Amino acid sequence: MSVTVNIDWKTVAALGASVIGTILVVKLDPNSAEAVSTKVVDAVKEFAIATDSNR
Protein backbone atom coordinates (compact mmCIF):
# COMPACT_ATOMS: atom_id res chain seq x y z
CA MET A 1 0.00 0.00 0.00
CA SER A 2 1.43 3.36 -1.03
CA VAL A 3 0.55 6.52 0.86
CA THR A 4 1.56 9.94 -0.43
CA VAL A 5 1.44 12.99 1.81
CA ASN A 6 1.87 16.40 0.24
CA ILE A 7 2.85 19.19 2.64
CA ASP A 8 2.72 22.71 1.28
CA TRP A 9 5.48 25.07 2.42
CA LYS A 10 2.86 27.71 3.26
CA THR A 11 1.28 25.36 5.80
CA VAL A 12 4.61 24.76 7.50
CA ALA A 13 5.35 28.51 7.51
CA ALA A 14 1.94 29.30 9.01
CA LEU A 15 2.35 26.70 11.74
CA GLY A 16 5.82 28.00 12.56
CA ALA A 17 4.61 31.59 12.67
CA SER A 18 1.74 30.68 14.97
CA VAL A 19 4.07 28.85 17.37
CA ILE A 20 6.54 31.74 17.41
CA GLY A 21 3.69 34.23 17.85
CA THR A 22 2.28 32.27 20.77
CA ILE A 23 5.65 32.10 22.50
CA LEU A 24 6.23 35.84 22.04
CA VAL A 25 2.77 36.76 23.30
CA VAL A 26 3.21 34.64 26.42
CA LYS A 27 6.57 36.26 27.20
CA LEU A 28 5.62 39.86 26.45
CA ASP A 29 3.77 42.19 28.74
CA PRO A 30 0.36 43.37 27.47
CA ASN A 31 1.52 46.82 26.35
CA SER A 32 4.33 45.40 24.25
CA ALA A 33 2.04 42.75 22.75
CA GLU A 34 -0.42 45.47 21.75
CA ALA A 35 2.32 47.55 20.13
CA VAL A 36 3.65 44.56 18.19
CA SER A 37 0.21 43.47 17.00
CA THR A 38 -0.59 47.04 15.90
CA LYS A 39 2.62 47.22 13.86
CA VAL A 40 1.92 43.83 12.27
CA VAL A 41 -1.61 44.87 11.29
CA ASP A 42 -0.30 48.12 9.80
CA ALA A 43 2.38 46.25 7.85
CA VAL A 44 -0.18 43.81 6.44
CA LYS A 45 -2.48 46.68 5.42
CA GLU A 46 0.39 48.48 3.67
CA PHE A 47 1.35 45.26 1.88
CA ALA A 48 -2.24 44.73 0.75
CA ILE A 49 -2.49 48.28 -0.55
CA ALA A 50 0.86 48.00 -2.37
CA THR A 51 -0.10 44.66 -3.89
CA ASP A 52 -3.51 45.92 -4.99
CA SER A 53 -2.08 49.05 -6.62
CA ASN A 54 0.19 46.91 -8.85
CA ARG A 55 -2.81 45.40 -10.65
Side-chain angles (χ1 to χ4, degrees):
M1 184 167 130
S2 177
V3 177
T4 303
V5 178
N6 293 326
I7 300 176
D8 189 25
W9 67 270
K10 295 174 195 171
T11 304
V12 175
L15 288 172
S18 65
V19 169
I20 291 170
T22 302
I23 291 171
L24 288 176
V25 167
V26 168
K27 290 189 174 204
L28 290 176
D29 61 299
N31 292 332
S32 296
E34 181 182 0
V36 169
S37 63
T38 303
K39 289 183 181 184
V40 168
V41 168
D42 289 341
V44 170
K45 284 193 316 190
E46 291 294 327
F47 179 73
I49 291 169
T51 305
D52 190 42
S53 65
N54 289 335
R55 291 185 180 188

